[in-house]
């Protein structure tokens, strides 16, 4: 360390003070004193010394230089993005990888899914201490009652790891269709699952954020308690993007299989001509009939939130074909298709709308179905990856 030679003699009090130090510093006195600390490797740095001479002994305050380290250039898209640690269940691995591919701000983290000899879960969160202070999310799939408990165990554990925030992404809320009681003794299991999710432990940053796509009934938001913040997203914007890519995009008419679907989605699709079907009871049968709208000569796209056996969609298809639809397609956010009921839907290669569909779009919210119908016409998969990546930044 070398010092700038003094231009004036030091005051006696200051000399007395400096003689007691192990590394005496030559000081340049004016209204403010400066000294230069030199090292063999880094460049010289200018330090500022404030001197209080009214006291005895004199007080000298050493202040470091007002310099900031050179910032590394950052991608503009990452500057304002949260860094997300995304965990996922086994069957959601493919969707998790697509989500991570959408943003460099999302990093995949792993969980070891094992079972003990008695069949109960034996789970391990890798590098648990590494998520402290991080924004954490878990991508879940409650595809069957048998997998819900092991995933709930992880969901309840992650917020307790001192994370900054916790988001649960549950694309398909499976008990959504059991949201009401028609007879005394009916159990609304949608309310039961909502209560379980409402008791997820609060993390350092507050309540859990819960992302769900196209829940069956919007009033189900009131089933959740104050310890969880439901965020209801929709797959309809993704459908709109796909419809714009069709060669006959100017000839699209949207059909709803019942009044419930119309109430749910018509505002998002209001710039399309619309058809509303209705289920009427004739004896012991429920028959789908055309309530309003004209399908003649149009490419009609039936829109609903989910499909199970597909009976309603097939009946709607027959009615639309009978009234002159040129082509018929369908979209549902959640393709459940128990017992391979997707096999009931055939592909119309042109000119036979009564016998098949031109397209049947589903999202990847139900991964088991995606594996079954992949690359099988008329099915096409519209991925929720980009929508989920955006929701994680809210």
């Amino acid at each position: 360390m070398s010092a700038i030679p003094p231009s004036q003699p030091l005051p006696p009090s200051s000399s007395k003070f400096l003689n007691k130090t192990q590394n005496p510093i030559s000081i340049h006195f004016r209204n403010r004193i400066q000294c230069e600390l030199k090292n063999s490797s880094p460049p010289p740095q200018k330090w500022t010394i404030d001197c209080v001479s009214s006291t005895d002994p004199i007080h000298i305050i050493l202040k470091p230089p007002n310099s900031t380290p050179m910032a590394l250039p950052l991608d503009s898209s990452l500057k304002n993005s949260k860094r997300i640690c995304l965990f996922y269940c086994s069957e959601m691995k493919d969707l998790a990888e697509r989500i991570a591919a959408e943003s460099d701000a999302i990093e995949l983290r792993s969980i070891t899914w094992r079972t003990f000899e008695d069949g109960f879960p034996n789970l391990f969160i890798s590098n648990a201490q590494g998520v402290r202070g991080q924004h954490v999310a878990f991508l879940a799939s409650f595809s069957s009652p048998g997998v819900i408990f092991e995933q709930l165990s992880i969901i309840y554990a992650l917020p307790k790891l001192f994370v900054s925030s916790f988001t649960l992404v549950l694309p398909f809320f499976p008990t959504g269709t059991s949201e009401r009681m028609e007879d005394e003794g009916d159990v609304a299991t949608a309310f039961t699952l909502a209560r379980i999710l409402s008791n997820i432990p609060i993390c350092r940053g507050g309540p859990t954020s819960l992302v769900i796509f196209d829940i069956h009934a919007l009033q189900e938001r009131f089933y959740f308690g104050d310890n969880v913040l439901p965020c209801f997203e929709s797959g309809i914007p993704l459908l709109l993007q796909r419809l714009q890519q069709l060669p006959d995009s100017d000839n699209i008419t949207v059909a709803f299989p019942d009044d419930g679907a119309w109430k749910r989605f018509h505002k998002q699709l209001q710039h399309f001509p619309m058809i509303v079907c209705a289920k009427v009871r004739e004896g012991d049968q429920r028959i789908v009939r055309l309530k309003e709208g004209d399908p003649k000569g149009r490419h009609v796209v039936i829109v609903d939130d989910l499909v199970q056996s597909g009976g309603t969609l097939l009946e709607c298809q027959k009615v639309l074909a009978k009234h002159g639809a040129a082509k018929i397609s369908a979209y549902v956010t959640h393709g459940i298709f128990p017992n391979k009921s997707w096999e009931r839907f055939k592909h119309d290669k042109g000119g036979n709308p009564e016998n098949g569909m031109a397209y049947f779009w589903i999202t990847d919210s139900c991964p088991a179905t995606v594996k079954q119908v992949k690359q099988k016409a008329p099915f096409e998969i519209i991925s929720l990856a980009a929508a989920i990546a955006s929701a994680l930044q809210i």
Side-chain angles (χ1 to χ4, degrees), residues 325-328 346-359 378:
K327 286 201 297 189
I328 299 174
K346 307 304 180 183
H347 183 212
D348 174 23
K349 297 181 180 180
N352 296 296
E354 67 278 1
N355 297 324
M357 291 192 172
Y359 303 95

Side-chain angles (χ1 to χ4, degrees), residues 48-327:
T48 302
I49 298 179
D50 284 346
C51 178
V52 183
S53 57
S54 59
T55 60
D56 190 15
I58 190 172
H59 291 279
I60 298 178
I61 303 171
L62 220 64
K63 294 183 177 181
N66 294 325
S67 61
T68 56
M70 183 178 296
L72 295 176
L74 293 177
D75 187 279
S76 58
S77 62
L78 292 178
K79 287 183 179 180
N80 299 319
S81 298
K82 291 191 299 184
R83 304 291 300 185
I84 308 292
C85 298
L86 178 61
F87 293 88
Y88 53 92
C89 66
S90 299
E91 61 185 289
M92 282 295 198
K93 181 180 178 181
D94 290 344
L95 178 54
E97 290 175 348
R98 285 192 288 270
I99 294 170
E102 291 288 335
S103 172
D104 291 335
I106 299 175
E107 178 185 353
L108 295 184
R109 296 296 182 93
S110 61
I111 295 171
T112 303
W113 303 88
R114 300 169 297 191
T115 56
F116 292 105
E117 292 183 357
D118 58 4
F120 277 87
N122 177 13
L123 310 171
F124 180 75
I125 301 172
S126 303
N127 191 23
Q129 290 187 343
V131 299
R132 289 183 177 180
Q134 303 295 316
H135 299 287
V136 172
F138 180 74
L139 179 60
S141 174
F142 292 174
S143 57
S144 68
V147 300
I148 292 179
F149 177 70
E150 64 180 11
Q151 293 183 54
L152 284 176
S153 300
I154 295 294
I155 291 167
Y156 272 55
L158 287 173
K160 294 183 177 181
L161 297 179
F162 292 91
V163 300
S164 292
S165 69
F166 179 62
T167 301
L168 171 60
V169 182
L170 182 63
F172 174 50
F173 188 72
T175 58
T177 54
S178 302
E179 84 283 6
R180 61 184 180 271
M181 296 174 57
E182 295 181 353
D183 296 314
E184 187 65 32
D186 286 342
V187 177
T189 54
F191 180 65
T192 305
L193 184 55
R195 291 181 67 185
I196 293 173
L197 297 178
S198 296
N199 284 283
I200 297 173
I202 295 176
C203 70
R204 289 178 58 193
T208 294
S209 298
L210 172 61
V211 179
I212 298 175
F213 282 81
D214 291 321
I215 197 168
H216 184 65
L218 285 177
Q219 64 265 27
E220 292 178 39
R221 71 170 64 235
F222 302 110
Y223 293 174
F224 295 92
D226 293 338
N227 286 345
V228 67
L229 302 175
C231 176
F232 295 120
E233 299 288 338
S234 178
I236 297 298
L238 303 175
L239 170 64
L240 292 174
Q241 293 176 13
R242 182 65 184 96
L243 293 180
Q244 291 173 359
Q245 299 169 359
L246 297 179
D248 58 350
S249 59
D250 58 345
N251 192 42
I252 299 294
T253 293
V254 173
F256 302 102
D258 50 39
D259 287 330
W262 177 84
K263 291 177 182 177
R264 183 67 197 280
F265 296 119
H266 79 277
K267 290 184 178 179
Q268 298 183 71
L269 298 163
Q270 57 187 348
H271 56 288
F272 288 104
M274 294 186 184
I275 296 170
V276 181
C277 297
K279 298 174 185 176
V280 297
R281 187 175 295 278
E282 291 187 359
D284 295 334
Q285 293 183 331
R286 297 185 71 184
I287 299 175
V288 176
R289 290 187 173 175
L290 196 65
K291 181 179 179 181
E292 61 181 78
D294 183 10
K296 188 174 182 179
R298 307 287 292 182
H299 180 179
V300 182
V301 179
I302 308 170
V303 175
D304 209 349
D305 63 319
L306 60 84
V307 59
Q308 297 253 17
S309 66
T312 300
L313 292 182
L314 289 170
E315 289 298 319
C316 191
Q317 174 191 350
K318 292 178 182 178
V319 171
L320 294 170
K322 183 178 179 180
H323 285 79
K327 286 201 297 189

